[in-house]
Amino acid sequence: MDLSSPKERLFRTLDKKSTDRKAVICPGGMMNAAVVDVMTKCGHILPAAHSDADLMAELARDVSKETGFENFGLPFCMTVEAEVLGSEIDMGTLECEPKIKKEVYPHTAEVEYRDIKKMLRQGRIETITNAAYSLSKDGDIPVIGSLTGPISTSDSIVDPMTFLKELRKDKENAHKVVDYVTDFLIEYAKQLIEGGADIISIADPTATGEILGPRMFGEYAVLYLNKLIDAIHETGTRVILHICGNMKSVDNYIPKMHMDAISTDAMVNLVKLKSKYPELTTMGNLSTFFLQTHDADSVATVTERLVAKDIDIIAPACGLSTTSPIANLQAFTSTVKESR
């Protein structure tokens, strides 16, 4: 394999090996780069592509080609898992990503534990797996399968306010639910990998120190994310983990997590985090608000500063606005590619 190909470059980075330059990626899922500019230019659009494997694969190709991100990222939202687990989904529009319309359970004690193998044949899972298989035939561009993490998926099937309270007040049922969700995510990840995904990216925006607090972060987020990551590692597949928000209150837990790279929000100082924990492979973290609201020249200037820092993989800091100008994304990725 070409050592300077996007796939090998990303693999080598995650394996802590030397590369010719930094990789620049956007994994999909929460960090979805299918912006309106790309879709209107190329004609493969959402929401239709959420449920059609051929359209999904073509849109992933469009995103990589038009933005310059060095990966294919699937799916284009964070509702796939919740839909299969029973919640009601609003599939959104060209401009708006799908969202949870109604969680299926009011309390953790009322969750129905269904057969996971059967669930893997429901919803959009086979669509995404088939799209990953199609994209895997494209050669040296890595296919990233994106999962919604255990805590965020759990509070997408149980009323969120109730779920967060029951993490403390009904720990027996809360642990049972998150463990069940994690088991489901493990099997979903394995299916994606078997279908052609090279890397699994996990985004768990509810699993933050700001929402859970340090104690609950350790008790739930670290436990179940590690269970999921360890199972994925057993297949020989690398894992990227995105944690939202300010990690100051929980950064002591980060080295205890088993991911191959940690992706963070824009307010996290990755240079300081890497200085504190040199063993980490860091990813990020250009502000997505900046990418949406500034001009291409400004984006290029800020990207140059980001590249100069000791960050291993360059990426947006969080979920992109669908109105982010394609010129800004191109300025972002081209600046990284021109650096050495």
Side-chain angles (χ1 to χ4, degrees), residues 9-36:
R9 183 181 296 112
L10 185 54
F11 281 177
R12 289 180 66 85
T13 303
L14 294 172
D15 294 342
K16 302 183 186 302
K17 296 178 180 178
S18 62
T19 59
D20 58 332
R21 63 165 170 82
K22 297 179 188 293
V24 55
I25 66 170
C26 194
M30 184 185 74
M31 297 169 72
N32 161 38
V35 297
V36 171

Side-chain angles (χ1 to χ4, degrees), residues 27-331:
M30 184 185 74
M31 297 169 72
N32 161 38
V35 297
V36 171
D37 276 1
V38 170
M39 291 187 283
T40 53
K41 178 180 179 180
C42 299
H44 303 114
I45 63 172
L46 299 171
H50 289 305
S51 304
D52 183 302
D54 292 335
L55 280 177
M56 184 178 289
E58 287 304 319
L59 181 52
R61 292 184 180 100
D62 295 341
V63 168
S64 181
K65 178 181 177 182
E66 297 298 331
T67 66
F69 286 120
E70 298 178 300
N71 69 283
F72 298 131
L74 299 172
F76 304 113
C77 72
M78 299 185 73
T79 63
V80 173
E81 300 90 347
E83 180 183 28
V84 173
L85 289 162
S87 290
E88 187 178 349
I89 308 301
D90 178 341
M91 292 301 292
T93 65
L94 181 74
E95 297 86 6
C96 298
E97 295 175 358
K99 59 181 179 292
I100 309 298
K101 191 172 182 180
K102 183 176 176 57
E103 295 80 14
V104 62
Y105 304 110
H107 295 278
T108 54
E110 298 176 45
V111 171
E112 176 187 355
Y113 296 89
R114 295 155 54 205
D115 186 283
I116 290 173
K117 295 294 185 183
K118 290 181 180 178
M119 287 193 291
L120 294 176
R121 299 192 294 270
Q122 298 171 0
R124 288 170 276 158
I125 288 181
E126 288 189 342
T127 297
I128 297 162
T129 304
N130 290 337
Y133 177 77
S134 174
L135 293 166
S136 71
K137 304 302 179 184
D138 281 28
D140 286 334
I141 299 178
V143 179
I144 301 181
S146 192
L147 300 182
T148 306
I151 305 299
S152 300
T153 299
S154 297
D155 87 345
S156 294
I157 64 170
V158 179
D159 175 80
M161 294 307 296
T162 302
F163 172 74
L164 291 172
K165 290 176 183 176
E166 290 178 348
L167 291 176
R168 294 170 172 81
K169 295 183 176 181
D170 188 0
K171 290 190 175 187
E172 180 180 355
N173 280 307
H175 275 288
K176 188 177 178 183
V177 168
V178 185
D179 194 51
Y180 161 66
V181 165
T182 304
D183 286 342
F184 165 72
L185 293 172
I186 288 169
E187 296 307 317
Y188 176 29
K190 289 178 179 177
Q191 186 158 312
L192 284 173
I193 293 161
E194 290 171 2
D198 298 298
I199 293 166
I200 296 295
S201 175
I202 304 166
D204 208 343
T206 306
T208 71
E210 295 163 312
I211 294 174
L212 298 181
R215 186 165 64 87
M216 291 296 102
F217 185 87
E219 180 175 347
Y220 288 95
V222 175
L223 174 64
Y224 292 107
L225 281 165
N226 277 346
K227 178 179 177 179
L228 173 57
I229 293 166
D230 288 347
I232 295 168
H233 278 163
E234 287 177 4
T235 71
T237 305
R238 302 155 179 88
V239 179
I240 295 168
L241 173 65
H242 179 85
I243 297 292
C244 283
N246 191 329
M247 299 197 312
K248 187 175 182 179
S249 67
V250 296
D251 77 352
N252 59 303
Y253 285 107
I254 302 305
K256 300 176 183 178
M257 302 178 83
H258 300 167
M259 68 277 159
D260 299 288
I262 181 73
S263 165
T264 71
D265 239 327
M267 74 280 292
V268 176
N269 188 321
L270 283 175
V271 174
K272 287 186 177 179
L273 187 69
K274 187 73 175 281
S275 175
K276 190 173 182 180
Y277 305 114
E279 70 275 17
L280 293 179
T281 297
T282 51
M283 173 172 145
N285 64 345
L286 184 63
S287 164
T288 52
F289 179 75
F290 194 95
L291 276 168
Q292 177 191 5
T293 58
H294 287 67
D295 60 33
D297 287 342
S298 298
V299 169
T301 299
V302 172
T303 304
E304 287 174 354
R305 296 173 191 158
L306 193 65
V307 170
K309 297 177 180 179
D310 188 24
I311 298 169
D312 300 295
I313 302 167
I314 307 300
C318 202
L320 289 164
S321 167
T322 58
T323 61
S324 301
I326 192 170
N328 286 6
L329 302 183
Q330 292 168 344

